[in-house]
Amino acid sequence: MKKKIIARSAETRARILDTAELLFADVGFEAASMRALTTGAKVNLAAINYHFGSKEGLIVAVFSRRLGPVNHERMTALDAAERKGKPAIEDILDAYISPVMRLIHDPTRGGEVFMRLLGRSLYEPGAYLTQLFREEIEPILNRFTLSLQRCLPHLQSEDLFWRMHFGGGALAYTLAQVHRLEVLSKGICDAHEVEVVIARLVDFVAAGMIGHGHSKRVERRRNRERGGVGIPSGRTGIDAGIPSQILKGSELMGIMASKVVLPPRSGLDSEVDFSAGEVEQQIVV
C-alpha cells in the first residue's frame, strides 16, 4: 500500500511538472494561472502547494528537472576531459554546450517545449531566477570558470568574464531562437543537425575565447593617439583588425546567467564565487 501511495504521489508530481512546463512555454510565467495549472494537471491547488510550495517553487522545479541531469552530464564530461591532462578550450566548451543542445532535441526530456521555455526566460526574468541560479547554475559556473582560467592563463579576469558573458548569450539565443536561422537562411542551415550545430557553436565560442582582438584594438588606438601607425595596410573596412581566430568562428556557452555583475578577480586558479547576492541574472541556460 505504501509503495502505491508513493508511486501515485510521484505520478501526480510529474503530471503537474509536465502541465506547467507546457503552459509556461505557451503563455508565459505571469499569464499562467493556477486555475489553468490545476485544470490541466487534474489536481487541486493543495496538491501543487504540497509538492512545490508556491508558483515560484513550481517554476524552479520545472527548470531543475531538466537542468539537473544536464549539469551532471557537464560535470562528468569535464572531469573526463581533465583526467587526460590539460584539456583544450574546445573540450571544455563541448562539455558545457553539448548536453543542453542535445536536450532540446530530445522530446523525452522536454525537447521543443523546453526550448520554448528557455525563450520565455529570456523575456520574462523573475525572482525565481535567484533560487534557480544558486541551486543549478552557480556550482557549474564556478567549476567551468576555473577550468577556463587554467586553459587560458593569458587572459585577465575581466576579459575572461566578458567572454564567458558573450558566450553564454550566444548559447542562450541559439537554444531559444535557433528556428529563426532556418528562416533567415531560407533552409540552408538545418537546426536539426544537432551535432553539426554543436560543432559550429563550439568553434565559434572557442575562437572568441582565444582571440586577441580587444588588446590589438587598444594598441592601435594608442598608436593613433601618439601619431603612430593606424590600421595596417591591406585590410580596411568592417573586418579591419579582426583577428583570424574570430573571423573563422561559429557559436557559445549555454544555460547561464546574463547581465553578470562580478567583483574583479585575477590569478590562475583563484577562488571564483558566483554567489547569488553578487549576480543580477536575467536568463538561465
Side-chain angles (χ1 to χ4, degrees):
M1 176 64 76
K2 187 176 181 180
K3 289 183 178 179
K4 288 184 179 180
I5 294 175
I6 294 174
R8 189 157 53 246
S9 178
E11 189 276 333
T12 298
R13 188 177 192 277
R15 190 168 67 251
I16 294 172
L17 287 172
D18 287 341
T19 302
E21 184 175 61
L22 182 59
L23 186 61
F24 292 149
D26 284 344
V27 305
F29 304 112
E30 292 295 329
S33 68
M34 297 305 287
R35 174 173 291 186
L37 282 168
T38 55
T39 301
K42 297 181 173 60
V43 298
N44 56 32
L45 185 59
I48 294 179
N49 291 332
Y50 172 77
H51 286 286
F52 306 104
S54 65
K55 184 178 180 180
E56 282 192 0
L58 176 58
I59 294 172
V60 171
V62 167
F63 277 100
S64 295
R65 179 173 66 154
R66 304 304 186 193
L67 295 181
V70 163
N71 287 335
H72 177 74
E73 291 179 39
R74 285 168 161 169
M75 295 290 265
T76 300
L78 184 59
D79 287 342
E82 291 183 335
R83 279 197 297 270
K84 299 176 183 178
K86 181 180 177 181
I89 183 66
E90 290 83 2
D91 295 330
I92 299 172
L93 294 174
D94 185 78
Y96 194 91
I97 292 171
S98 292
V100 70
M101 289 299 300
R102 294 185 182 118
L103 167 69
I104 67 167
H105 288 83
D106 184 352
T108 66
R109 296 192 293 159
E112 184 267 341
V113 175
F114 189 66
M115 179 176 69
R116 289 193 286 117
L117 188 68
L118 290 175
R120 287 287 180 183
S121 72
L122 282 168
Y123 303 111
E124 292 188 47
Y128 66 89
L129 285 177
T130 298
Q131 179 182 348
L132 184 64
F133 181 84
R134 184 186 303 113
E135 294 178 358
E136 297 293 345
I137 307 302
E138 181 181 348
I140 300 300
L141 286 185
N142 288 338
R143 180 74 171 78
F144 274 84
T145 299
L146 288 175
S147 189
L148 288 170
Q149 282 181 321
R150 298 186 188 106
C151 185
L152 303 168
H154 65 283
L155 289 182
Q156 295 294 320
S157 292
E158 181 182 9
D159 291 328
L160 177 64
F161 287 130
W162 270 114
R163 294 178 192 202
M164 289 174 61
H165 172 79
F166 295 144
L171 175 58
Y173 191 78
T174 300
L175 290 170
Q177 303 288 345
V178 70
H179 60 282
R180 292 189 178 183
L181 180 60
E182 294 182 322
V183 175
L184 180 66
S185 68
K186 296 180 172 56
I188 294 175
C189 301
D190 185 357
H192 297 286
E193 295 180 338
V194 59
E195 298 304 321
V196 174
V197 175
I198 290 171
R200 289 182 179 276
L201 188 52
V202 167
D203 285 350
F204 177 81
V205 180
M209 294 293 292
I210 295 170
H212 299 280
H214 171 71
S215 60
K216 289 184 177 181
R217 282 191 292 274
V218 170
E219 182 180 355
R220 284 198 300 274
R221 188 181 304 115
R222 289 172 178 168
N223 286 337
R224 286 196 297 270
E225 290 172 353
R226 291 194 297 261
V229 180
I231 297 173
S233 60
R235 292 183 64 189
T236 60
I238 194 169
D239 68 338
I242 298 177
S244 59
Q245 297 101 313
I246 292 180
L247 290 176
K248 72 177 183 182
S250 166
E251 298 175 314
L252 172 51
M253 216 163 130
I255 278 134
M256 180 185 286
S258 177
K259 200 174 180 184
V260 178
V261 181
L262 292 166
R265 302 180 187 277
S266 62
L268 182 63
D269 293 341
S270 60
E271 182 182 356
V272 180
D273 181 14
F274 289 87
S275 64
E278 293 177 317
V279 179
E280 179 188 355
Q281 64 278 18
Q282 288 186 334
I283 59 172
V284 178
V285 180

